[in-house]
Amino acid sequence: NDDDNNDNDASGDGDAASGDAALSAGIARLSKSQRKKLGERKTRAQRHREFRNRMNERNRLAARFSRRLHAAVDNLKGIKKTIQEQEELRARRRAALQAMIDAKAGAPMKKIGRYKVRPPRAAFLLPDEVPTSLRTLKVDRGLIQDRLRSWEHRNLVEVMDLRKKHEPYRPEQVKRYVKEAFRGTTLEYKF
């Protein structure tokens, strides 16, 4: 083993120096945590300097927080005044909104469509109209029709007249023409 080491030392002194330089350059590129893992130790002065820096930063943040706290206490009257102004503004807006709602409630509703809103049917049955079983209960209209009537009543959609009579279906009239240029064929035109 000693012979192998001696052979390496004798054969390449320049290679060992360049290898150490490459190793130190590689270590310099590593981050602090990676260098620490490699075993690079800090001196006592470096540790004390970092500790003092950490303590100075902590004291600086504590002083800043204390200054802000004292400034907020000194500005308490201003904060109370701002809150009171915001509450007054909310109260004025609430009163204006309530006045607008009251004005709308008193005014007649604007009619959207050309048909009138039919008055809603009673949402209850009289005692003699109630069936013995709920399975035999007749439903006046479906859920969709009920929603539609509710929207019409609240003036959200145009009132539709579902009682309108529809014209019966008539197939399209087909007229036949004979063109002079095309005697052998007939063309049909739909109108």
Side-chain angles (χ1 to χ4, degrees):
N1 252 354
D2 291 336
D3 295 335
D4 292 338
N5 289 340
N6 292 336
D7 291 340
N8 288 340
D9 290 342
S11 63
D13 286 335
D15 291 340
S18 65
D20 290 340
L23 182 64
S24 63
I27 290 174
R29 275 190 244 127
L30 297 176
S31 67
K32 287 183 181 180
S33 61
Q34 290 171 334
R35 275 186 265 157
K36 190 174 183 180
K37 286 179 186 174
L38 286 176
E40 184 178 311
R41 295 178 55 91
K42 294 180 183 175
T43 63
R44 183 182 293 169
Q46 286 175 332
R47 287 197 305 271
H48 284 303
R49 189 178 305 121
E50 287 182 2
F51 177 75
R52 279 195 312 268
N53 288 341
R54 282 197 305 268
M55 293 307 292
N56 287 340
E57 182 67 19
R58 188 178 296 165
N59 291 340
R60 189 180 65 79
L61 290 175
R64 184 176 175 189
F65 177 75
S66 176
R67 280 195 309 271
R68 284 189 177 178
L69 186 63
H70 287 301
V73 169
D74 292 341
N75 197 17
L76 193 58
K77 288 182 182 178
I79 293 172
K80 283 183 180 179
K81 185 178 178 184
T82 306
I83 291 172
Q84 187 177 6
E85 288 173 357
Q86 288 176 351
E87 287 179 356
E88 289 173 1
L89 179 64
R90 278 195 209 108
R92 283 196 305 265
R93 284 182 180 169
R94 201 176 301 124
L97 180 64
Q98 189 62 39
M100 187 175 69
I101 290 172
D102 292 342
K104 278 188 177 180
M109 207 179 330
K110 183 182 175 188
K111 193 170 135 183
I112 294 180
R114 65 180 192 174
Y115 298 110
K116 290 183 179 179
V117 177
R118 289 185 289 269
R121 297 179 189 163
F124 58 89
L125 294 173
L126 297 174
D128 57 337
E129 296 173 345
V130 176
T132 55
S133 172
L134 289 178
R135 292 179 187 216
T136 60
L137 181 66
K138 297 283 184 183
V139 179
D140 288 340
R141 52 185 177 256
L143 182 66
I144 295 174
Q145 282 184 334
D146 190 41
R147 289 294 92 214
L148 185 64
R149 294 289 175 258
S150 172
W151 291 342
E152 288 175 354
H153 185 70
R154 290 183 288 159
N155 210 21
L156 296 176
V157 295
E158 179 180 350
V159 178
M160 290 184 272
D161 189 17
L162 300 177
R163 297 166 293 172
K164 185 169 67 171
K165 293 180 181 177
H166 297 286
E167 295 180 7
Y169 172 75
R170 290 190 188 118
E172 296 176 346
Q173 299 288 334
V174 177
K175 294 185 180 180
R176 297 178 186 270
Y177 294 99
V178 177
K179 293 275 190 173
E180 294 296 324
F182 306 101
R183 285 192 187 248
T185 61
T186 58
L187 300 173
E188 296 178 358
Y189 295 99
K190 293 185 180 180
F191 292 98

